[in-house]
Amino acid sequence: KQEVTQIPAALSVPEGENLVLNCSFTDSAIYNLQWFRQDPGKGLTSLLLIQSSQREQTSGRLNASLDKSSGRSTLYIAASQPGDSATYLCAGSSNTGKLIFGQGTTLQVKP
Amino acid sequence: ETGVTQTPRHLVMGMTNKKSWKCEQHLGHNAMYWYKQSAKKPLELMFVYNFKEQTENNSVPSRFSPECPNSSHLFLHLHTLQPEDSALYLCASSQGYERGTDTQYFGPGTRLTVL
Protein backbone atom coordinates (compact mmCIF):
# COMPACT_ATOMS: atom_id res chain seq x y z
CA LYS A 1 0.00 0.00 0.00
CA GLN A 2 1.40 3.34 -1.07
CA GLU A 3 2.07 5.83 1.74
CA VAL A 4 3.29 9.38 1.20
CA THR A 5 5.07 11.41 3.88
CA GLN A 6 6.03 15.08 3.79
CA ILE A 7 8.67 16.71 5.95
CA PRO A 8 8.64 19.25 7.50
CA ALA A 9 4.97 19.78 8.40
CA ALA A 10 5.54 23.53 8.62
CA LEU A 11 8.28 25.89 7.51
CA SER A 12 8.85 29.63 8.01
CA VAL A 13 11.51 31.45 6.01
CA PRO A 14 12.45 35.07 5.25
CA GLU A 15 11.68 36.45 1.81
CA GLY A 16 14.32 35.73 -0.81
CA GLU A 17 15.50 32.45 0.65
CA ASN A 18 15.80 29.30 -1.46
CA LEU A 19 14.06 26.31 0.10
CA VAL A 20 13.40 22.60 -0.37
CA LEU A 21 10.28 20.66 0.52
CA ASN A 22 10.58 16.90 0.89
CA CYS A 23 8.24 14.08 -0.03
CA SER A 24 8.85 10.35 0.42
CA PHE A 25 6.82 7.38 -0.76
CA THR A 26 6.90 3.71 0.14
CA ASP A 27 6.10 2.01 -3.18
CA SER A 28 8.70 2.49 -5.92
CA ALA A 29 6.11 1.32 -8.48
CA ILE A 30 4.78 4.86 -8.47
CA TYR A 31 3.58 5.95 -11.90
CA ASN A 32 3.90 9.69 -11.49
CA LEU A 33 4.39 12.28 -8.76
CA GLN A 34 2.53 15.56 -8.56
CA TRP A 35 3.04 18.65 -6.48
CA PHE A 36 0.03 20.82 -5.62
CA ARG A 37 -0.45 24.12 -3.85
CA GLN A 38 -3.41 24.83 -1.58
CA ASP A 39 -4.25 28.31 -0.32
CA PRO A 40 -6.34 28.62 2.88
CA GLY A 41 -9.99 27.75 2.29
CA LYS A 42 -9.41 26.92 -1.36
CA GLY A 43 -8.93 23.94 -3.61
CA LEU A 44 -5.69 22.55 -4.98
CA THR A 45 -3.70 23.95 -7.88
CA SER A 46 -1.41 21.59 -9.76
CA LEU A 47 2.17 22.90 -9.89
CA LEU A 48 4.25 20.16 -11.47
CA LEU A 49 3.73 16.59 -12.65
CA ILE A 50 6.73 14.26 -12.99
CA GLN A 51 6.11 11.07 -14.92
CA SER A 52 7.89 7.89 -13.88
CA SER A 53 10.28 8.09 -16.85
CA GLN A 54 11.34 11.62 -15.91
CA ARG A 55 13.65 12.84 -13.17
CA GLU A 56 12.60 16.46 -12.87
CA GLN A 57 10.27 19.19 -14.05
CA THR A 58 10.69 22.95 -13.90
CA SER A 59 8.20 25.80 -13.95
CA GLY A 60 9.48 29.30 -13.29
CA ARG A 61 11.04 29.40 -9.82
CA LEU A 62 9.88 25.86 -9.05
CA ASN A 63 11.85 22.68 -9.71
CA ALA A 64 10.65 19.23 -8.72
CA SER A 65 12.76 16.09 -8.79
CA LEU A 66 11.86 12.42 -8.56
CA ASP A 67 14.13 9.57 -7.45
CA LYS A 68 12.11 6.38 -7.61
CA SER A 69 14.92 4.17 -6.32
CA SER A 70 15.13 6.07 -3.04
CA GLY A 71 11.41 6.80 -2.87
CA ARG A 72 11.87 10.55 -2.71
CA SER A 73 10.78 13.73 -4.40
CA THR A 74 11.78 17.30 -3.64
CA LEU A 75 10.24 20.64 -4.55
CA TYR A 76 12.77 23.44 -4.78
CA ILE A 77 11.52 27.02 -4.59
CA ALA A 78 14.02 29.69 -5.59
CA ALA A 79 13.99 33.25 -4.27
CA SER A 80 10.88 32.74 -2.16
CA GLN A 81 8.22 35.48 -2.02
CA PRO A 82 5.39 36.18 0.46
CA GLY A 83 2.95 35.10 -2.26
CA ASP A 84 4.45 31.60 -2.08
CA SER A 85 2.92 31.17 1.40
CA ALA A 86 0.55 28.21 1.16
CA THR A 87 0.35 24.49 1.88
CA TYR A 88 2.24 22.32 -0.58
CA LEU A 89 1.01 18.78 -1.15
CA CYS A 90 2.70 15.95 -2.98
CA ALA A 91 0.77 12.99 -4.36
CA GLY A 92 1.91 9.75 -5.91
CA SER A 93 -0.22 7.82 -8.34
CA SER A 94 -0.53 4.38 -9.83
CA ASN A 95 -0.99 3.94 -13.58
CA THR A 96 -4.76 4.18 -13.05
CA GLY A 97 -4.41 7.76 -11.91
CA LYS A 98 -5.44 7.16 -8.30
CA LEU A 99 -3.63 9.77 -6.19
CA ILE A 100 -2.25 9.13 -2.69
CA PHE A 101 -1.54 12.41 -0.90
CA GLY A 102 0.90 13.40 1.81
CA GLN A 103 -0.25 15.59 4.67
CA GLY A 104 1.40 18.67 3.25
CA THR A 105 4.00 21.24 4.25
CA THR A 106 2.65 24.63 5.30
CA LEU A 107 5.03 27.34 4.13
CA GLN A 108 5.15 30.90 5.45
CA VAL A 109 7.42 33.38 3.70
CA LYS A 110 7.92 36.49 5.81
CA PRO A 111 8.46 39.89 4.12
CA GLU B 1 -11.18 28.43 -10.16
CA THR B 2 -13.86 28.78 -12.82
CA GLY B 3 -12.90 25.44 -14.43
CA VAL B 4 -14.38 23.39 -11.57
CA THR B 5 -17.08 24.92 -9.39
CA GLN B 6 -18.65 23.63 -6.20
CA THR B 7 -21.86 24.73 -4.49
CA PRO B 8 -22.48 25.53 -1.75
CA ARG B 9 -19.12 26.54 -0.31
CA HIS B 10 -20.20 26.09 3.31
CA LEU B 11 -22.73 23.83 5.06
CA VAL B 12 -23.68 23.51 8.71
CA MET B 13 -25.84 20.49 9.46
CA GLY B 14 -27.23 18.51 12.34
CA MET B 15 -26.69 14.78 12.51
CA THR B 16 -30.26 13.97 11.45
CA ASN B 17 -30.24 16.18 8.35
CA LYS B 18 -30.06 15.12 4.72
CA LYS B 19 -28.23 17.27 2.24
CA SER B 20 -26.64 17.25 -1.20
CA TRP B 21 -23.97 19.35 -2.80
CA LYS B 22 -22.83 19.79 -6.34
CA CYS B 23 -19.72 19.93 -8.47
CA GLU B 24 -19.63 21.13 -12.08
CA GLN B 25 -16.69 21.11 -14.47
CA HIS B 26 -16.46 23.25 -17.57
CA LEU B 27 -13.30 21.67 -18.99
CA GLY B 28 -14.79 18.95 -21.18
CA HIS B 29 -13.27 16.24 -18.97
CA ASN B 30 -14.49 12.67 -18.70
CA ALA B 31 -13.44 11.78 -15.14
CA MET B 32 -14.66 13.35 -11.89
CA TYR B 33 -13.60 12.73 -8.31
CA TRP B 34 -14.72 13.36 -4.73
CA TYR B 35 -12.03 13.81 -2.07
CA LYS B 36 -12.34 14.37 1.70
CA GLN B 37 -9.88 16.62 3.53
CA SER B 38 -10.11 16.34 7.32
CA ALA B 39 -8.03 18.28 9.81
CA LYS B 40 -4.62 16.71 10.38
CA LYS B 41 -5.19 13.91 7.85
CA PRO B 42 -4.04 13.54 4.24
CA LEU B 43 -6.49 14.19 1.45
CA GLU B 44 -8.47 10.97 0.87
CA LEU B 45 -10.04 9.80 -2.38
CA MET B 46 -13.72 8.86 -1.92
CA PHE B 47 -15.21 8.17 -5.36
CA VAL B 48 -14.19 8.25 -9.00
CA TYR B 49 -16.51 8.46 -11.99
CA ASN B 50 -15.15 7.84 -15.48
CA PHE B 51 -17.55 8.47 -18.37
CA LYS B 52 -20.41 8.62 -15.82
CA GLU B 53 -19.61 5.16 -14.43
CA GLN B 54 -18.36 4.74 -10.87
CA THR B 55 -14.93 3.11 -11.03
CA GLU B 56 -13.72 3.65 -7.46
CA ASN B 57 -15.42 3.55 -4.07
CA ASN B 58 -12.72 3.88 -1.48
CA SER B 59 -14.56 2.12 1.38
CA VAL B 60 -16.80 5.12 1.98
CA PRO B 61 -19.68 4.69 4.51
CA SER B 62 -23.05 4.10 2.87
CA ARG B 63 -24.44 7.35 4.30
CA PHE B 64 -22.49 9.02 1.47
CA SER B 65 -24.15 8.48 -1.91
CA PRO B 66 -22.59 9.95 -5.08
CA GLU B 67 -24.45 10.65 -8.31
CA CYS B 68 -23.05 11.47 -11.73
CA PRO B 69 -25.85 12.25 -14.22
CA ASN B 70 -23.39 13.33 -16.94
CA SER B 71 -19.68 13.94 -17.38
CA SER B 72 -19.98 17.58 -16.30
CA HIS B 73 -21.89 17.19 -13.03
CA LEU B 74 -21.20 15.29 -9.84
CA PHE B 75 -23.32 15.26 -6.70
CA LEU B 76 -22.74 13.97 -3.18
CA HIS B 77 -25.82 13.09 -1.15
CA LEU B 78 -25.52 12.66 2.61
CA HIS B 79 -27.80 11.46 5.40
CA THR B 80 -27.47 10.56 9.10
CA LEU B 81 -24.25 12.47 9.46
CA GLN B 82 -21.60 11.90 12.10
CA PRO B 83 -19.30 14.51 13.70
CA GLU B 84 -16.30 12.90 11.97
CA ASP B 85 -17.88 13.80 8.63
CA SER B 86 -16.94 17.45 9.24
CA ALA B 87 -14.35 18.20 6.57
CA LEU B 88 -13.62 20.00 3.32
CA TYR B 89 -15.02 18.01 0.40
CA LEU B 90 -13.09 18.64 -2.79
CA CYS B 91 -14.20 17.80 -6.29
CA ALA B 92 -11.73 17.31 -9.13
CA SER B 93 -11.85 16.44 -12.81
CA SER B 94 -9.38 15.16 -15.38
CA GLN B 95 -9.39 14.29 -19.06
CA GLY B 96 -9.41 10.57 -18.31
CA TYR B 97 -8.88 8.24 -15.37
CA GLU B 98 -6.98 5.13 -16.37
CA ARG B 99 -4.15 6.96 -18.03
CA GLY B 100 -1.96 7.98 -15.12
CA THR B 101 -0.67 11.11 -16.82
CA ASP B 102 -3.68 13.38 -16.63
CA THR B 103 -3.55 16.36 -14.30
CA GLN B 104 -6.50 16.66 -11.95
CA TYR B 105 -8.12 20.09 -11.63
CA PHE B 106 -9.71 20.86 -8.29
CA GLY B 107 -12.68 22.95 -7.23
CA PRO B 108 -12.63 25.25 -4.17
CA GLY B 109 -14.39 22.72 -1.95
CA THR B 110 -17.53 22.52 0.16
CA ARG B 111 -16.78 22.86 3.88
CA LEU B 112 -19.16 20.73 5.96
CA THR B 113 -19.60 21.26 9.70
CA VAL B 114 -21.69 18.67 11.55
CA LEU B 115 -23.06 19.88 14.86
Side-chain angles (χ1 to χ4, degrees), chain A residues 6-35:
Chain A
Q6 290 186 247
I7 296 174
L11 182 64
S12 181
V13 301
E15 181 177 5
E17 193 163 296
N18 301 325
L19 57 100
V20 174
L21 307 181
N22 296 295
C23 174
S24 61
F25 46 92
T26 54
D27 186 354
S28 62
I30 194 170
Y31 193 76
N32 65 43
L33 192 292
Q34 287 187 256
W35 282 92

Short mmCIF file of all heavy atoms in Angstrom, two decimals, chain A residues 6-35:
data_model
loop_
_atom_site.label_atom_id
_atom_site.label_comp_id
_atom_site.label_asym_id
_atom_site.label_seq_id
_atom_site.Cartn_x
_atom_site.Cartn_y
_atom_site.Cartn_z
N GLN A 6 5.39 13.80 4.10
CA GLN A 6 6.03 15.08 3.79
C GLN A 6 6.68 15.66 5.04
O GLN A 6 6.06 15.70 6.11
CB GLN A 6 5.01 16.07 3.23
CG GLN A 6 4.53 15.68 1.85
CD GLN A 6 3.63 16.74 1.25
OE1 GLN A 6 2.44 16.51 1.06
NE2 GLN A 6 4.21 17.90 0.95
N ILE A 7 7.91 16.11 4.86
CA ILE A 7 8.67 16.71 5.95
C ILE A 7 9.33 17.99 5.42
O ILE A 7 9.87 17.98 4.31
CB ILE A 7 9.78 15.76 6.47
CG1 ILE A 7 9.13 14.50 7.08
CG2 ILE A 7 10.66 16.45 7.48
CD1 ILE A 7 10.12 13.45 7.47
N PRO A 8 9.29 19.12 6.19
CA PRO A 8 8.64 19.25 7.50
C PRO A 8 7.13 19.51 7.34
O PRO A 8 6.66 19.78 6.25
CB PRO A 8 9.33 20.48 8.09
CG PRO A 8 9.63 21.32 6.88
CD PRO A 8 9.96 20.36 5.79
N ALA A 9 6.41 19.48 8.44
CA ALA A 9 4.97 19.78 8.40
C ALA A 9 4.74 21.27 8.23
O ALA A 9 3.74 21.68 7.65
CB ALA A 9 4.28 19.29 9.67
N ALA A 10 5.66 22.08 8.73
CA ALA A 10 5.54 23.53 8.62
C ALA A 10 6.93 24.13 8.49
O ALA A 10 7.91 23.58 9.02
CB ALA A 10 4.82 24.12 9.83
N LEU A 11 7.00 25.25 7.78
CA LEU A 11 8.28 25.89 7.51
C LEU A 11 8.06 27.40 7.41
O LEU A 11 7.12 27.83 6.74
CB LEU A 11 8.85 25.34 6.20
CG LEU A 11 10.21 25.82 5.72
CD1 LEU A 11 11.29 25.40 6.71
CD2 LEU A 11 10.50 25.24 4.34
N SER A 12 8.92 28.17 8.08
CA SER A 12 8.85 29.63 8.01
C SER A 12 10.21 30.15 7.60
O SER A 12 11.22 29.82 8.24
CB SER A 12 8.43 30.20 9.36
OG SER A 12 8.33 31.60 9.30
N VAL A 13 10.25 30.95 6.54
CA VAL A 13 11.51 31.45 6.01
C VAL A 13 11.38 32.93 5.69
O VAL A 13 10.28 33.43 5.43
CB VAL A 13 11.95 30.68 4.75
CG1 VAL A 13 12.11 29.20 5.04
CG2 VAL A 13 10.98 30.91 3.61
N PRO A 14 12.51 33.66 5.68
CA PRO A 14 12.45 35.07 5.25
C PRO A 14 12.39 35.15 3.74
O PRO A 14 12.86 34.26 3.01
CB PRO A 14 13.77 35.64 5.79
CG PRO A 14 14.68 34.47 5.89
CD PRO A 14 13.83 33.28 6.20
N GLU A 15 11.80 36.21 3.25
CA GLU A 15 11.68 36.45 1.81
C GLU A 15 13.05 36.39 1.15
O GLU A 15 14.04 36.89 1.68
CB GLU A 15 11.04 37.81 1.58
CG GLU A 15 10.82 38.17 0.13
CD GLU A 15 10.12 39.51 -0.03
OE1 GLU A 15 9.87 40.19 0.99
OE2 GLU A 15 9.78 39.88 -1.18
N GLY A 16 13.09 35.79 -0.03
CA GLY A 16 14.32 35.73 -0.81
C GLY A 16 15.11 34.45 -0.63
O GLY A 16 16.01 34.15 -1.42
N GLU A 17 14.76 33.68 0.39
CA GLU A 17 15.50 32.45 0.65
C GLU A 17 15.11 31.35 -0.32
O GLU A 17 13.95 31.24 -0.73
CB GLU A 17 15.24 32.00 2.09
CG GLU A 17 16.17 30.92 2.59
CD GLU A 17 16.14 30.81 4.10
OE1 GLU A 17 16.52 31.78 4.77
OE2 GLU A 17 15.71 29.75 4.59
N ASN A 18 16.08 30.52 -0.69
CA ASN A 18 15.80 29.30 -1.46
C ASN A 18 15.43 28.19 -0.48
O ASN A 18 16.00 28.10 0.61
CB ASN A 18 17.03 28.87 -2.27
CG ASN A 18 17.49 29.95 -3.23
OD1 ASN A 18 16.68 30.69 -3.79
ND2 ASN A 18 18.79 30.06 -3.40
N LEU A 19 14.47 27.35 -0.84
CA LEU A 19 14.06 26.31 0.10
C LEU A 19 13.69 25.02 -0.62
O LEU A 19 13.42 25.02 -1.83
CB LEU A 19 12.88 26.81 0.95
CG LEU A 19 11.65 27.26 0.20
CD1 LEU A 19 10.60 26.16 0.22
CD2 LEU A 19 11.08 28.54 0.81
N VAL A 20 13.70 23.93 0.16
CA VAL A 20 13.40 22.60 -0.37
C VAL A 20 12.34 21.94 0.50
O VAL A 20 12.47 21.90 1.73
CB VAL A 20 14.67 21.72 -0.39
CG1 VAL A 20 14.32 20.30 -0.81
CG2 VAL A 20 15.71 22.31 -1.32
N LEU A 21 11.32 21.44 -0.16
CA LEU A 21 10.28 20.66 0.52
C LEU A 21 10.48 19.19 0.14
O LEU A 21 10.75 18.89 -1.03
CB LEU A 21 8.88 21.13 0.11
CG LEU A 21 8.61 22.62 0.27
CD1 LEU A 21 7.18 22.93 -0.16
CD2 LEU A 21 8.85 23.08 1.69
N ASN A 22 10.31 18.31 1.10
CA ASN A 22 10.58 16.90 0.89
C ASN A 22 9.33 16.04 0.90
O ASN A 22 8.39 16.30 1.66
CB ASN A 22 11.52 16.38 1.98
CG ASN A 22 12.87 17.06 1.93
OD1 ASN A 22 13.61 16.90 0.98
ND2 ASN A 22 13.19 17.84 2.96
N CYS A 23 9.34 15.02 0.08
CA CYS A 23 8.24 14.08 -0.03
C CYS A 23 8.85 12.68 -0.20
O CYS A 23 9.76 12.51 -1.02
CB CYS A 23 7.38 14.44 -1.24
SG CYS A 23 6.06 13.27 -1.63
N SER A 24 8.37 11.73 0.58
CA SER A 24 8.85 10.35 0.42
C SER A 24 7.67 9.42 0.25
O SER A 24 6.58 9.68 0.75
CB SER A 24 9.70 9.92 1.62
OG SER A 24 8.92 9.97 2.81
N PHE A 25 7.88 8.33 -0.50
CA PHE A 25 6.82 7.38 -0.76
C PHE A 25 7.36 5.97 -0.59
O PHE A 25 8.55 5.72 -0.76
CB PHE A 25 6.20 7.59 -2.15
CG PHE A 25 7.20 7.76 -3.25
CD1 PHE A 25 7.65 6.67 -3.98
CD2 PHE A 25 7.68 9.02 -3.56
CE1 PHE A 25 8.58 6.83 -4.99
CE2 PHE A 25 8.60 9.19 -4.58
CZ PHE A 25 9.06 8.10 -5.30
N THR A 26 6.46 5.05 -0.25
CA THR A 26 6.90 3.71 0.14
C THR A 26 6.96 2.73 -1.03
O THR A 26 7.71 1.75 -0.98
CB THR A 26 5.97 3.14 1.21
OG1 THR A 26 4.62 3.19 0.74
CG2 THR A 26 6.08 3.93 2.50
N ASP A 27 6.18 2.97 -2.08
CA ASP A 27 6.10 2.01 -3.18
C ASP A 27 6.81 2.58 -4.40
O ASP A 27 6.35 3.55 -5.00
CB ASP A 27 4.64 1.72 -3.51
CG ASP A 27 4.47 0.62 -4.55
OD1 ASP A 27 5.50 0.16 -5.10
OD2 ASP A 27 3.32 0.22 -4.81
N SER A 28 7.92 1.98 -4.79
CA SER A 28 8.70 2.49 -5.92
C SER A 28 8.00 2.27 -7.26
O SER A 28 8.47 2.75 -8.29
CB SER A 28 10.09 1.85 -5.95
OG SER A 28 9.97 0.45 -6.13
N ALA A 29 6.88 1.53 -7.24
CA ALA A 29 6.11 1.32 -8.48
C ALA A 29 5.24 2.52 -8.80
O ALA A 29 4.32 2.42 -9.61
CB ALA A 29 5.26 0.07 -8.36
N ILE A 30 5.53 3.64 -8.21
CA ILE A 30 4.78 4.86 -8.47
C ILE A 30 4.80 5.19 -9.96
O ILE A 30 5.80 4.97 -10.64
CB ILE A 30 5.41 6.01 -7.65
CG1 ILE A 30 4.50 7.21 -7.60
CG2 ILE A 30 6.79 6.38 -8.15
CD1 ILE A 30 4.98 8.26 -6.62
N TYR A 31 3.67 5.66 -10.47
CA TYR A 31 3.58 5.95 -11.90
C TYR A 31 3.98 7.39 -12.19
O TYR A 31 4.71 7.69 -13.10
CB TYR A 31 2.17 5.67 -12.40
CG TYR A 31 2.08 5.64 -13.90
CD1 TYR A 31 2.53 4.54 -14.62
CD2 TYR A 31 1.54 6.72 -14.61
CE1 TYR A 31 2.45 4.52 -15.99
CE2 TYR A 31 1.46 6.70 -15.97
CZ TYR A 31 1.91 5.59 -16.67
OH TYR A 31 1.84 5.57 -18.03
N ASN A 32 3.42 8.32 -11.42
CA ASN A 32 3.90 9.69 -11.49
C ASN A 32 3.77 10.37 -10.14
O ASN A 32 3.16 9.82 -9.21
CB ASN A 32 3.21 10.50 -12.60
CG ASN A 32 1.72 10.71 -12.36
OD1 ASN A 32 1.31 11.02 -11.25
ND2 ASN A 32 0.91 10.58 -13.39
N LEU A 33 4.35 11.54 -10.02
CA LEU A 33 4.39 12.28 -8.76
C LEU A 33 3.97 13.71 -9.06
O LEU A 33 4.52 14.32 -9.99
CB LEU A 33 5.80 12.22 -8.17
CG LEU A 33 6.09 12.65 -6.73
CD1 LEU A 33 5.92 14.13 -6.49
CD2 LEU A 33 5.28 11.84 -5.73
N GLN A 34 3.00 14.20 -8.33
CA GLN A 34 2.53 15.56 -8.56
C GLN A 34 2.72 16.41 -7.31
O GLN A 34 2.56 15.94 -6.18
CB GLN A 34 1.03 15.55 -8.92
CG GLN A 34 0.75 15.03 -10.30
CD GLN A 34 -0.71 15.20 -10.68
OE1 GLN A 34 -1.50 14.29 -10.67
NE2 GLN A 34 -1.06 16.43 -11.01
N TRP A 35 3.00 17.66 -7.55
CA TRP A 35 3.04 18.65 -6.48
C TRP A 35 1.88 19.63 -6.70
O TRP A 35 1.66 20.10 -7.81
CB TRP A 35 4.36 19.42 -6.48
CG TRP A 35 5.50 18.64 -5.89
CD1 TRP A 35 6.39 17.83 -6.54
CD2 TRP A 35 5.87 18.60 -4.51
NE1 TRP A 35 7.28 17.29 -5.66
CE2 TRP A 35 6.99 17.75 -4.40
CE3 TRP A 35 5.37 19.19 -3.35
CZ2 TRP A 35 7.63 17.48 -3.18
CZ3 TRP A 35 6.00 18.93 -2.14
CH2 TRP A 35 7.11 18.08 -2.06
#
